[in-house]
Amino acid sequence: MDTMETRRNAIVELVNENGTVSFSQIKNAFPNVSEMTLRTDLKLLDEMKRIVRIHGGAKSVQVIIGTDDYLSKRSVRNIPAKQKIAAKALSLLRPDTTIFVDSGSTTTMFARQFPDQSNLIYTTGLTCATELANLSNPTVMIPGGKLNRYSQSVYGIGAVKELEQVNFSQTFLGVTSYSSNTGFTCGIHDEAVLKQTAIRQSEQVIVLIDSSKIGVRSTFGICGLADVDIVVSDDSLPEAFLEECGRFRVTVY
C-alpha cells in the first residue's frame, strides 16, 4: 500500500473514531503533510463517500446517515473523562426520587457506578439497564419503542408517550455535540424528540458531555442552554463555553 493510500485510510480512521474532526485536528495528526494535500485528500474521500466534508473539517458517514455513531466505538473513547463525569454526576443524585437516564456511552458509565439505593429509574439505554440490573434497590423501567441497534437504545412514539406520563426529579441527558449556533444536538430526529420529552417532564436537567463534543455540530437540535440547569463535564471545557453557561446561569461541574 503506497503512502498516499495509507494516509487517506488513516484520515478515515481518525474521522470514524471521533465522529467529527476539525481541519486543525487533521493537520495536527499529519504534521508533515501540506494543507493543500490534506484538503485534496478530504475532497477525494468525500467523493468516494468514505467521509463527509463539512465546514472546517470532516464528519463520519456513520453519523451523517443517522446512526448517531456506534456505541461500541464511543464507549472506548475518552474513558478517563467519562469516568470523571460519571463520578461528578453521581454526587448530584437525589435518592428516593424518579429519574431519567438517557442512552449513551457516558450515561452507561454513570449507570455502572450507580449506588445501590432506592430510585425509580427510567432509561432508554439498554446498556444502562444492563448495568443497573446488578443492583437490588433501584426499580428500573425501560419504555417500549423502536430499537436503535447502533446506540443500543429505545426511541420512537411509544417511548415518548410513556415518558409523557412520568414526572422526573432529575434527567441525566446524553448528547452528541454542542455548538453555540445549534445548541445541544444528536444524530437522530426521533431521539431528539425523546430527549426533549424527558427535559419537559423533569424538575432538573443535567447534561453529561465531555469537552471533545464542544464546538461540534450534529444534525438535530435537542435544546439550548436556557433549557438546562447543570452541565457536568471533564476539566477541559473551552472558556467561551463556560462564559455561555454563565450568561444562562447554568452551573458547571
Side-chain angles (χ1 to χ4, degrees):
M1 187 179 294
D2 63 24
T3 303
M4 180 182 68
E5 187 173 353
T6 301
R7 183 182 67 247
R8 289 176 180 173
N9 287 339
I11 292 172
V12 173
E13 183 176 350
L14 175 69
V15 174
N16 285 338
E17 284 180 352
N18 291 276
T20 303
V21 296
S22 65
F23 187 70
S24 62
Q25 288 176 290
I26 297 172
K27 284 196 298 181
N28 290 337
F30 302 92
N32 298 322
V33 182
S34 70
E35 286 193 18
M36 181 177 296
T37 298
L38 289 173
R39 293 187 188 280
T40 299
D41 288 341
L42 294 180
K43 179 176 182 293
L44 292 175
L45 289 170
D46 179 77
E47 290 173 355
M48 296 167 65
K49 303 189 185 304
R50 297 186 65 192
I51 63 162
V52 176
R53 279 201 304 169
I54 60 173
H55 180 70
K59 205 166 194 177
S60 168
V61 173
Q62 295 164 358
V63 176
I64 289 292
I65 64 174
T67 64
D68 207 17
D69 203 358
Y70 290 89
L71 181 65
S72 59
K73 292 183 178 179
R74 284 183 281 139
S75 63
V76 297
R77 295 183 204 138
N78 305 321
I79 291 175
K82 290 171 182 175
Q83 291 172 331
K84 182 178 292 186
I85 293 166
K88 290 180 180 180
L90 287 169
S91 71
L92 304 173
L93 186 61
R94 301 170 183 171
D96 302 309
T97 59
T98 301
I99 67 172
F100 175 76
V101 179
D102 199 6
S103 62
S105 56
T106 305
T107 50
T108 299
M109 186 74 72
F110 172 77
R112 184 173 302 156
Q113 300 180 25
F114 204 93
D116 197 359
Q117 67 183 33
S118 176
N119 284 100
L120 175 57
I121 307 170
Y122 278 77
T123 183
T124 51
L126 302 185
T127 52
C128 294
T130 299
E131 296 292 344
L132 295 167
N134 296 314
L135 306 177
S136 301
N137 290 310
T139 299
V140 181
M141 306 291 292
I142 304 174
K146 185 178 180 181
L147 173 66
N148 179 345
R149 63 176 55 88
Y150 301 101
S151 62
Q152 297 182 38
S153 63
V154 176
Y155 68 104
I157 188 63
V160 168
K161 290 295 184 183
E162 189 166 341
L163 294 186
E164 286 177 341
Q165 305 304 311
V166 186
N167 297 313
F168 299 109
S169 175
Q170 294 174 300
T171 281
F172 294 88
L173 196 71
V175 298
T176 301
S177 52
Y178 176 85
S179 162
S180 58
N181 295 326
T182 61
F184 296 102
T185 53
C186 67
I188 297 178
H189 176 264
D190 285 351
E191 288 197 353
V193 172
L194 188 146
K195 294 172 194 286
Q196 290 163 357
T197 303
I199 290 169
R200 287 195 302 271
Q201 297 299 114
S202 186
E203 292 178 9
Q204 186 182 62
V205 178
I206 302 168
V207 173
L208 311 185
I209 183 171
D210 70 72
S211 56
S212 69
K213 297 179 179 180
I214 305 299
V216 179
R217 296 162 58 98
S218 195
T219 310
F220 299 104
I222 301 167
C223 67
L225 282 169
D227 304 300
V228 169
D229 299 295
I230 296 173
V231 168
V232 181
S233 187
D234 50 51
D235 299 323
S236 302
L237 288 171
E239 189 62 36
F241 177 74
L242 292 172
E243 291 174 1
E244 280 188 79
C245 290
R247 288 198 296 273
F248 285 94
R249 298 184 179 179
V250 174
T251 303
V252 178
Y253 286 89

